[in-house]
Amino acid sequence: MPFRYILSSLKYKNFRLYFFGQCVSVMGTWMQQIAMGWLAYKLTGSVLILATVTFMEQIPMLFATPFVSVFVDRANKHKLLIFTQTMAMLQAFAMAALVLTETVAVWNILILSLFIGLVNSLDMPTRQAFYTSLVPKESMTNAIALNSSSINGCRLIGPAVGGIIIGLVGEGYCFLINAISYLGVITALLMMKIDYKKKKSEKKNVLQDMTKGFMYMKNTEPIKILVAMMAAVSFFGVPFNSFVPAFVNIMLNGESEMLGFLLSSIGIGSFAASIYLASRRSAIGLPNMVMSAAVLMGMSLCFISFCSISWAAILICMPIGFSIIISVASINTLLQLLTDNAMRGRVMGYLTMAFAGMPPVGALVFGYIEKWTGLNYMLVIMGMCTILSGVCFSFFLQKVKDPTILVENVG
């Protein structure tokens, strides 16, 4: 039975530590996400400022990732993750101190958003390349999907709890809880025993390594197509998450509790997608799922654009969350299986650029569009563009269907 396969990666001790450490930390991360967006919108009432906060947090991944991904291929990924998680913890403590002392200003939020963006530009490609240290290749698909399920499982609870905490005691305690939660993943990382083989020190040119990584991606057609599709979905569809606080306020006349419910609804869909992917024993069919998920995401955005009924919006958010994770995790899995180990850090860097670097650009662009069209028509435009991305990807399906990975049974 497929669902017997879901927890198979947990038999590896390092991945088990990583998984449960993530479960503790990610709960706090989702609480900080809702607090950051709600605080920015509460202070300004501006959709554009809301988009700018997202832009500042994620834009470093678009520009810094190509440089740091070269470093990731050379460095001890285990130690790098301990460093990045420690920096993220300090950022959360700083936000908590500013809010709890009632000295926070918009510029504080923007600066600290930029800081965590720089940390994440190093953390994300390192995390993606770290999977090979946790599980063997045959368990890669399950490990990626299972880790995604932990992230999205926490998303079921984190935003709802965060919304309630904001309503009761304010945003500052969400940041404080997040800061403390990082101790879980840092402790788990310190408990791991990683057999790190130090490479011979060679003098290499960073620009040459970057160019080599780019040419590898450019000349490997399935990888190029998948990264491009990730960029399209991330630009047109994923920015919806940035506009949820404004949607709750403008369309539903709701407060922080309703924001938490909508984000948790997205989490329900995301969690369902992660569990489904974790139950799969093969990569067969993943390209078709990427295409279908993009179409579903676009249709859901169009449906929700004029929705003013709370319970209906909560229901529509579920397929949005489902389709985002199906697209993102499927593309990630395909790239992990396609990429040569020597190039993994760089390819994961380009994937990070597409996944985390494009949403802030999209959010900023659509934030400007909203000033002219209004929030509902802006969402329609986002939805139609996402559908078009799925249709365009359908013309490249045969090139993505590499028989060496799609017939491989990873069970």
Side-chain angles (χ1 to χ4, degrees):
M1 293 177 64
F3 284 92
R4 292 173 60 187
Y5 183 65
I6 292 176
L7 302 178
S8 60
S9 295
L10 293 179
K11 65 185 177 183
Y12 303 104
K13 182 180 177 180
N14 284 337
F15 181 75
R16 191 162 62 247
L17 286 167
Y18 180 82
F19 177 83
F20 289 112
Q22 280 285 98
C23 288
V24 174
S25 176
V26 172
M27 183 74 72
T29 300
W30 284 120
M31 294 174 66
Q32 172 157 317
Q33 286 285 87
I34 184 176
M36 188 73 85
W38 189 256
L39 180 63
Y41 191 71
K42 185 178 76 172
L43 290 175
T44 64
S46 169
V47 174
L48 184 57
I49 290 296
L50 192 59
T52 303
V53 170
T54 301
F55 181 85
M56 295 294 283
E57 181 178 342
Q58 297 182 357
I59 198 62
M61 298 180 212
L62 187 60
F63 295 107
T65 299
F67 296 93
V68 300
S69 60
V70 175
F71 178 64
V72 168
D73 275 332
R74 304 179 187 180
N76 184 323
K77 300 171 185 61
H78 184 214
K79 291 181 179 179
L80 272 183
L81 283 178
I82 294 172
F83 170 76
T84 56
Q85 294 301 291
T86 302
M87 291 298 102
M89 180 177 65
L90 294 177
Q91 187 265 2
F93 272 125
M95 280 299 306
L98 286 168
V99 177
L100 291 174
T101 57
E102 298 183 355
T103 57
V104 68
V106 174
W107 70 268
N108 299 139
I109 298 174
L110 294 175
I111 293 297
L112 286 170
S113 294
L114 179 62
F115 175 80
I116 195 64
L118 290 169
V119 171
N120 287 337
S121 68
L122 177 59
D123 180 83
M124 290 187 70
T126 305
R127 190 181 299 279
Q128 298 298 331
F130 190 54
Y131 280 112
T132 55
S133 301
L134 301 175
V135 294
K137 188 174 182 179
E138 61 268 19
S139 296
M140 192 78 69
T141 301
N142 177 261
I144 293 171
L146 192 58
N147 187 61
S148 179
S149 71
S150 72
I151 294 172
N152 292 295
C154 294
R155 192 175 187 173
L156 300 178
I157 306 169
V161 173
I164 293 170
I165 289 175
I166 291 171
L168 292 175
V169 293
E171 299 86 355
Y173 286 94
C174 290
F175 296 116
L176 181 60
I177 292 170
N178 182 44
I180 296 170
S181 74
Y182 277 107
L183 295 174
V185 70
I186 292 172
T187 301
L189 287 167
L190 291 171
M191 291 174 64
M192 290 180 188
K193 294 182 180 179
I194 303 293
D195 183 18
Y196 178 70
K197 297 178 181 178
K198 190 173 181 180
K199 299 178 182 178
K200 294 180 180 179
S201 57
E202 298 179 24
K203 290 185 178 180
K204 294 183 179 180
N205 186 287
V206 173
L207 291 177
Q208 287 179 353
D209 279 359
M210 283 175 56
T211 303
K212 189 175 179 180
F214 178 79
M215 294 306 296
Y216 173 80
M217 180 188 69
K218 180 183 176 183
N219 295 329
T220 310
E221 200 160 21
I223 291 178
K224 177 174 61 177
I225 293 169
L226 288 167
V227 171
M229 183 58 183
M230 179 71 87
V233 169
S234 298
F235 184 89
F236 295 119
V238 175
F240 172 73
N241 291 326
S242 302
F243 299 116
V244 175
F247 178 83
V248 169
N249 184 267
I250 295 171
M251 300 295 294
L252 304 180
N253 295 316
E255 296 296 332
S256 62
E257 293 84 356
M258 179 55 62
L259 173 60
F261 290 140
L262 252 64
L263 292 177
S264 292
S265 177
I266 294 174
I268 291 172
S270 301
F271 182 68
S274 302
I275 290 296
Y276 170 69
L277 290 173
S279 70
R280 293 173 56 89
R281 295 172 63 88
S282 169
I284 295 174
L286 288 185
N288 286 321
M289 290 172 59
V290 171
M291 176 193 67
S292 301
V295 174
L296 175 62
M297 190 190 314
M299 291 174 62
S300 301
L301 289 172
C302 291
F303 286 140
I304 205 171
S305 59
F306 290 96
C307 180
S308 58
I309 304 172
S310 298
W311 65 264
I314 290 172
L315 290 177
I316 297 172
C317 279
M318 292 182 192
I320 292 176
F322 182 87
S323 55
I324 288 175
I325 295 304
I326 289 290
S327 297
V328 170
S330 296
I331 292 174
N332 189 351
T333 299
L334 291 168
L335 285 174
Q336 291 277 7
L337 294 172
L338 277 166
T339 304
D340 182 82
N341 281 335
M343 292 290 176
R344 191 174 301 276
R346 276 161 280 187
V347 171
M348 291 303 105
Y350 286 116
L351 177 67
T352 300
M353 287 175 63
F355 170 61
M358 295 310 294
V361 180
L364 203 60
V365 169
F366 287 111
Y368 276 107
I369 291 174
E370 189 272 342
K371 294 173 68 70
W372 301 98
T373 65
L375 184 65
N376 46 10
Y377 286 106
M378 180 205 75
L379 291 174
V380 170
I381 295 170
M382 289 173 63
M384 295 302 295
C385 291
T386 307
I387 293 172
L388 183 61
S389 300
V391 172
C392 290
F393 182 72
S394 68
F395 293 108
F396 297 96
L397 279 178
Q398 292 304 317
K399 294 182 179 180
V400 175
K401 290 181 177 179
D402 185 331
T404 63
I405 62 168
L406 295 183
V407 299
E408 179 183 356
N409 188 310
V410 295

